[in-house]
Amino acid sequence: MPSVAFYTLGCKVNFYDTEAIWQLFKEEGYEQVDFETKTADVYLINTCTVTNTGDKKSRQIIRRAIRRNPDAVIAVTGCYAQTSPAEIMAIEGVDLVIGTQDRDKLMDYIRQIQAERKPVNAVRNIMKTREFEELDVPDFADRTRAFLKIQEGCNNFCTFCIIPWSRGLSRSRDPQSVIAQAEQLVAAGYKEIVLTGIHTGGYGDDLDNYKLSDLLIDLDKVEGLERIRISSIEASQIDDEMIEVLNRSSKMCRHLHIPLQAGDNTVLKRMRRKYTVEQFAEKIRLLHKAMPGVAITTDVIVGFPGETEEMFENGYRFMEELGFSEMHVFPYSKRTGTPAARMEDQIDEEVKNERVHRLIDLSERMQLAYAQSCVGEVLDVIPERDYKGAPGTGRLMGYSDNYIQVVFEGDESLIGQLCRVKITEAGVNESFGKLVRVIDGRTPAMDEQAPQGTALQA
């Protein structure tokens, strides 16, 4: 049986794409083996180019695969492959470079290389592509949450970002296809679907009169689907229709990831972000109104060229006021080929690090405050696995609909089921709770284990 080993760098979309590529190999009778410990006939490296470091790491992994088995077919895909195919082809031992499209032709290329042993550069100009590449993933190793890719590419061209050049312009998956895939995932036992893409909220930009809010209305009707989560959405994409859907739908998770990137208007303008802090704050206010208790997480870039101490302080106060439930904080890193990399007044690394640490401390304080606001509440949790902190102690771990990582006592048969859990203790990264009851009907109700009156709140 021929074997394939994968190595994925970068974002969740890349991990989804690798899973989709694995389906192609599986259909051809391949078995998947571990990249680090086994020798494979084909090595596929799915690369990242979001930072210069991403490029460097990608090259290291490619060389590692070549050393593992010089006779294997070495195939490289992903964002770095799309933007710099010649750089990768120059690495001795690389057989195939295919970017972020045409992956349905992958197996043909691999057969061709095995027959002729001639390297192939299959990368085409992504900027001309207007079609969404249909690659399904019917099953995930993580049995409780399924990712469903609905969108590819981005039209924003923020000054710090290379992604439009590596992923192309925004393209949406056909709505019928999304619904059909969601139904298939529910039939396979998934209760929660995470809608994902490069710029997920841009779904529908290239469709006639059909937006993300329309897709959510249609997904809401899928029988047996309990939770719908959006991996990320821009503040500018939260319009009245979206607010209305969030207000009405019982399946939409009370958690939204809305990248802020900077809390100061001068910096936002230089980043070419399409909103002001005032507009952003107004969207957050409307969301809290539509979904009381909603958890809002965000991304922040620290030390963007020209960010003064005063701009940073403005941002710090703004983030503190908004009260995010968690922030992903990144120091600005130069990306060759982007306008921001050519800007004057780059910020000193030490200054960046000091600011990053201040924001991480703020994030942890806000994370704890948000978790504490849920103590005593009964939340919906889908357990994902045995609790890593103390394996084998009869404790499970899963995420609540508002994205709190909850640990509680329960049998492994509950994994993947919708449980009501009363939060008893809050923590920064994980909170603890007590099982009230199971919604699924496959297990007897456990109300009697709950303190008096708790089940009524559920």
Side-chain angles (χ1 to χ4, degrees):
M1 191 188 250
S3 59
V4 59
F6 296 99
Y7 197 106
T8 308
L9 297 110
C11 66
K12 282 202 173 83
V13 175
N14 254 12
F15 280 85
Y16 179 95
D17 290 345
T18 300
E19 287 279 350
I21 291 166
W22 160 233
Q23 305 301 324
L24 305 176
F25 278 94
K26 199 152 70 171
E27 280 161 24
E28 298 273 334
Y30 275 75
E31 69 163 333
Q32 188 177 154
V33 297
D34 183 66
F35 186 93
E36 300 297 352
T37 57
K38 297 281 196 307
T39 307
D41 300 311
V42 178
Y43 287 89
L44 187 129
I45 298 96
N46 195 351
T47 59
C48 173
T49 193
V50 80
T51 61
N52 291 352
T53 321
D55 291 359
K56 191 176 160 196
K57 182 88 201 278
S58 297
R59 287 194 297 272
Q60 282 171 349
I61 300 299
I62 293 164
R63 292 199 175 94
R64 195 188 302 173
I66 295 164
R67 284 198 300 273
R68 291 236 182 278
N69 182 6
D71 299 330
V73 172
I74 307 293
V76 184
T77 184
C79 287
Y80 177 47
Q82 183 63 51
T83 55
S84 312
E87 254 175 56
I88 296 171
M89 289 298 286
I91 300 173
E92 190 70 39
V94 170
D95 296 294
L96 172 65
V97 181
I98 192 163
T100 52
Q101 58 183 341
D102 299 330
R103 286 174 291 201
D104 48 350
K105 304 190 184 110
L106 192 68
M107 302 316 294
D108 295 337
Y109 284 125
I110 283 171
R111 277 190 292 273
Q112 180 190 329
I113 288 161
Q114 283 167 334
E116 300 171 6
R117 290 315 299 203
K118 275 198 205 121
V120 176
N121 177 353
V123 176
R124 288 187 300 123
N125 181 356
I126 194 87
M127 290 322 226
K128 291 182 175 168
T129 301
R130 294 290 177 270
E131 291 291 305
F132 179 87
E133 181 181 50
E134 290 275 345
L135 287 170
D136 268 354
V137 182
D139 198 2
F140 294 81
D142 174 353
R143 289 291 309 159
T144 56
R145 281 191 290 168
F147 287 85
L148 176 45
K149 184 173 161 185
I150 62 168
Q151 184 277 344
E152 177 64 92
C154 182
N155 299 346
N156 274 9
F157 295 94
C158 298
T159 54
F160 52 80
C161 186
I162 198 85
I163 294 306
W165 307 105
S166 66
R167 289 279 177 174
L169 298 174
S170 187
R171 356 194 237 292
S172 308
R173 185 171 184 171
D174 175 72
Q176 266 82 30
S177 165
V178 176
I179 302 299
Q181 175 66 4
E183 287 168 346
Q184 199 183 335
L185 289 165
V186 170
Y190 292 98
K191 300 240 174 311
E192 180 180 321
I193 286 177
V194 183
L195 301 177
T196 187
I198 291 298
H199 191 64
T200 315
Y203 181 87
D205 284 352
D206 54 339
L207 301 176
D208 286 338
N209 292 326
Y210 194 88
K211 300 194 296 193
L212 181 57
S213 46
D214 300 306
L215 181 68
L216 295 176
I217 289 166
D218 287 341
L219 281 170
D220 206 55
K221 298 171 191 154
V222 173
E223 205 63 34
L225 177 58
E226 303 276 1
R227 300 207 302 205
I228 304 164
R229 206 181 281 282
I230 307 170
S231 63
S232 180
I233 187 168
E234 293 290 331
S236 52
Q237 290 154 345
I238 298 168
D239 53 14
D240 295 346
E241 287 97 331
M242 179 60 80
I243 296 275
E244 177 60 22
V245 171
L246 297 176
N247 210 347
R248 262 199 349 236
S249 165
S250 60
K251 297 184 180 182
M252 284 303 304
C253 287
R254 287 182 305 149
H255 164 240
L256 290 168
H257 184 78
I258 310 172
L260 171 64
Q261 305 301 15
D264 177 273
N265 285 336
T266 311
V267 182
L268 286 173
K269 203 169 176 185
R270 286 177 63 118
M271 287 179 164
R272 208 186 289 149
R273 301 291 287 166
K274 294 183 167 64
Y275 49 82
T276 61
V277 289
E278 291 78 13
Q279 289 165 335
F280 192 96
E282 176 58 14
K283 292 291 166 81
I284 302 298
R285 189 186 67 75
L286 291 171
L287 284 172
H288 279 293
K289 202 170 145 197
M291 287 181 130
V294 63
I296 294 170
T297 54
T298 197
D299 295 327
V300 181
I301 293 171
V302 178
F304 188 77
E307 181 187 71
T308 62
E309 189 59 39
E310 188 190 354
M311 291 170 195
F312 173 76
E313 292 292 347
N314 285 343
Y316 186 98
R317 281 194 301 275
F318 179 69
M319 292 164 211
E320 199 169 26
E321 271 165 39
L322 283 188
F324 292 104
S325 62
E326 187 182 358
M327 302 195 296
H328 302 168
V329 182
F330 307 93
Y332 167 74
S333 84
K334 267 188 181 180
R335 188 64 198 83
T336 313
T338 59
R342 297 189 293 275
M343 285 178 182
E344 305 285 309
D345 48 23
Q346 298 283 334
I347 306 293
D348 184 70
E349 290 303 317
E350 271 179 36
V351 174
K352 270 190 230 174
N353 283 339
E354 187 260 335
R355 288 178 188 173
V356 163
H357 286 299
R358 282 176 64 190
L359 281 186
I360 289 172
D361 288 346
L362 173 62
S363 174
E364 289 190 351
R365 279 213 312 280
M366 294 196 291
Q367 221 172 322
L368 184 59
Y370 181 76
Q372 280 168 339
S373 74
C374 296
V375 170
E377 273 191 42
V378 176
L379 303 179
D380 287 353
V381 178
I382 300 180
E384 290 183 10
R385 56 172 186 264
D386 193 28
Y387 174 41
K388 278 184 177 161
T393 55
R395 287 159 125 190
L396 303 172
M397 189 239 98
Y399 284 95
S400 64
D401 71 314
N402 57 340
Y403 215 56
I404 291 178
Q405 191 161 280
V406 181
V407 177
F408 65 97
E409 277 182 30
D411 188 73
E412 280 196 10
S413 65
L414 297 178
I415 289 177
Q417 298 196 48
L418 191 60
C419 300
R420 287 263 160 97
V421 178
K422 182 172 186 172
I423 305 303
T424 54
E425 188 191 329
V428 173
N429 293 316
E430 55 196 25
S431 293
F432 294 86
K434 194 171 170 93
L435 181 65
V436 176
R437 62 192 175 101
V438 180
I439 306 288
D440 258 32
R442 276 185 292 180
T443 22
M446 320 235 348
D447 299 54
E448 62 276 7
Q449 289 191 5
Q452 204 87 46
T454 316
L456 299 174
Q457 299 168 8

